Amino acid sequence: MEITNVTEYEAIAKEKLPKMIYDYYASGAEDQWTLKENRNAFSRILFRPRILIDVSKIDMTTTVLGFKISMPIMIAPTAMQKMAHPEGEYAIARAASAAGTIMTLSTLATSSVEEVASTGPGIRFFQLYVFKDRNLVAQLVRRAERAGFKAITLTVDTPRLGRREADIKNRFSLPPFLTLKNFEGLDLGKIDQSNDSRLTSYIADQIDRSLNWKDVKWLQTITSLPILLKGVLTAEDTRLAIQNGAEGIIVSNHGARQLDYVPATIMALEEVVKATQGRVPVFLDGGVRRGTDVFKALALGASGIFIGRPVVYSLAAEGEAGVRKALQMLRDEFELTMALSGCRALSEITRDHIKTDWDPVHAVARL
């Protein structure tokens, strides 16, 4: 059967992967309301396409933190990718590089920053969890810098892990043949590094619950890399993020894996964008499965989007070739959406190209 859209990879991944691993990637927190809403909310945003515009040439290129990429579709951090496929992070790094876009590597990766860097050239960001041991954090950041990573994506919505009931039922642990490679060779204190299920729970226990705005400032003292804050959902936190030196914001609810009943990210996006007043770029992750979703996010003010689960599912289904195909399908769909909406460049995508539930009833198009 020919795959025609990225959603079709999920069923293949479900068939191929052990239940514990598929459930780890697929599930959300508690009732999983936000998990469903991340997708459903996109369907409540409709297009206002413009016609009779010469769309024979479409330019999807953009810059993120000064780095030129081929399209505003990037790869979000997802943990332990070798659970999905033996090539794991290597395959995703190569696919992102081939597509001319950015890959974000998770702190909890099954390949180290050095190993991912060794796959060849590419623009890569490093997602950071802040642990109680600040020395460990500083080591991770320095290694990412030395390995040529271009930004730190600081996850700010995880003082504790959300309640993911599928993982509790399955007694989730990292398979014994895998390790969290960024922690190899680091002094982790009193822990038997050969027992990786213990290592996984150890890392979860080590996430610092006291993380606050002062730590964002501290991070800037140990790295010259730009810092993106991932997990912002409100105007209030957006303003604080900018005050505390964040150079970009990722509107994210952690793939609906943390606090259930927070809004879909596409519903929170406009509030965050307005609060930045154009001072820093805003990105979005969560629920993107179509090129139409990408267009909707950009129309609401995002500078780009990150995809997580579709990358892991396509990796599980077809390895590197699957990830390449997933990125290409999203690119093709986005290009088509631009053409059919009458937009030749990202700068031409405006709020007037969409209609939302929350638009004023008697809204007159802004001319």
Side-chain angles (χ1 to χ4, degrees):
M1 181 192 75
E2 187 180 354
I3 300 283
T4 54
N5 64 73
V6 301
T7 303
E8 290 175 352
Y9 279 121
E10 182 169 359
I12 299 169
K14 187 173 186 177
E15 208 172 278
K16 278 194 164 188
L17 293 172
K19 180 174 167 28
M20 178 189 80
I21 292 171
Y22 170 78
D23 285 355
Y24 171 78
Y25 291 134
S27 63
E30 297 186 353
D31 299 329
Q32 304 190 115
W33 181 86
T34 297
L35 184 69
K36 295 186 271 286
E37 180 66 3
N38 269 354
R39 279 298 306 128
N40 294 341
F42 277 105
S43 68
R44 300 197 295 273
I45 300 170
L46 304 179
F47 291 121
R48 299 183 69 249
R50 300 302 304 274
I51 57 168
L52 294 175
I53 292 166
D54 177 357
V55 289
S56 51
K57 289 193 179 70
I58 303 267
D59 179 11
M60 290 180 284
T61 61
T62 188
T63 57
V64 171
L65 302 179
F67 298 99
K68 190 165 185 183
I69 56 175
S70 69
M71 58 181 175
I73 301 165
M74 298 163 282
I75 294 180
T78 48
M80 303 177 271
Q81 291 165 359
K82 283 186 181 175
M83 292 195 307
H85 188 276
E87 291 276 285
E89 292 84 1
Y90 295 96
I92 290 174
R94 289 192 293 259
S97 183
T101 194
I102 292 166
M103 174 211 188
T104 315
L105 182 71
S106 171
T107 291
L108 305 182
T110 39
S111 308
S112 68
V113 288
E114 294 84 3
E115 288 171 332
V116 169
S118 76
T119 63
I123 305 160
R124 301 183 184 110
F125 294 173
F126 181 65
Q127 176 272 331
L128 181 68
Y129 284 116
V130 173
F131 299 110
K132 292 168 187 165
D133 180 350
R134 291 295 195 271
N135 181 43
L136 174 62
V137 175
Q139 285 181 68
L140 285 170
V141 169
R142 277 196 293 273
R143 283 173 56 200
E145 270 188 311
R146 279 201 301 270
F149 284 66
K150 303 301 184 193
I152 300 296
T153 299
L154 177 65
T155 296
V156 292
D157 59 7
T158 312
R160 294 172 60 173
L161 286 181
R163 184 178 171 82
R164 303 160 195 176
E165 292 175 6
D167 291 347
I168 296 167
K169 283 186 170 67
N170 294 332
R171 297 174 185 259
F172 172 79
S173 64
L174 184 62
F177 55 89
L178 293 175
T179 58
L180 298 176
K181 280 296 186 83
N182 285 320
F183 298 95
E184 270 191 347
L186 293 181
D187 177 15
L188 291 180
K190 293 173 184 167
I191 179 95
D192 172 10
Q193 288 192 56
S194 65
N195 185 335
D196 278 293
S197 59
R198 270 185 62 206
L199 181 57
T200 309
S201 51
Y202 172 83
I203 297 299
D205 291 343
Q206 288 303 304
I207 291 175
D208 192 347
R209 296 182 185 188
S210 76
L211 185 68
N212 62 69
W213 293 108
K214 283 190 212 128
D215 298 298
V216 178
K217 290 281 197 193
W218 168 77
L219 200 51
Q220 290 163 66
T221 68
I222 65 161
T223 182
S224 57
L225 294 179
I227 296 164
L228 300 168
L229 295 196
K230 176 181 182 289
V232 177
L233 292 170
T234 65
E236 297 92 323
D237 283 336
T238 301
R239 288 189 282 270
L240 284 168
I242 294 168
Q243 280 167 32
N244 284 280
E247 292 187 44
I249 286 166
I250 302 174
V251 176
S252 173
N253 53 33
H254 211 112
R257 295 158 73 78
Q258 283 299 100
L259 180 62
D260 202 12
Y261 297 98
V262 294
T265 50
I266 194 69
M267 300 301 276
L269 176 61
E270 201 164 29
E271 175 182 328
V272 170
V273 168
K274 284 177 176 168
T276 67
Q277 299 178 313
R279 289 172 289 178
V280 299
V282 177
F283 306 95
L284 170 138
D285 70 27
V288 174
R289 299 293 181 274
R290 285 280 190 186
T292 49
D293 300 335
V294 180
F295 188 100
K296 290 170 183 179
L298 268 62
L300 286 167
S303 293
I305 63 92
F306 289 87
I307 48 168
R309 288 184 180 93
V311 173
V312 174
Y313 296 149
S314 57
L315 175 71
E318 294 176 358
E320 182 184 335
V323 181
R324 285 184 183 228
K325 184 164 184 186
L327 289 167
Q328 187 63 47
M329 284 189 293
L330 286 169
R331 179 189 174 88
D332 291 346
E333 289 175 8
F334 178 56
E335 184 178 26
L336 182 60
T337 307
M338 285 180 68
L340 295 178
S341 297
C343 298
R344 295 160 294 198
L346 303 193
S347 58
E348 294 186 354
I349 300 173
T350 69
R351 184 65 170 77
D352 293 330
H353 285 97
I354 58 163
K355 187 171 138 186
T356 69
D357 280 1
W358 60 92
D359 288 339
V361 179
H362 301 295
V364 177
R366 295 162 292 281
L367 296 174

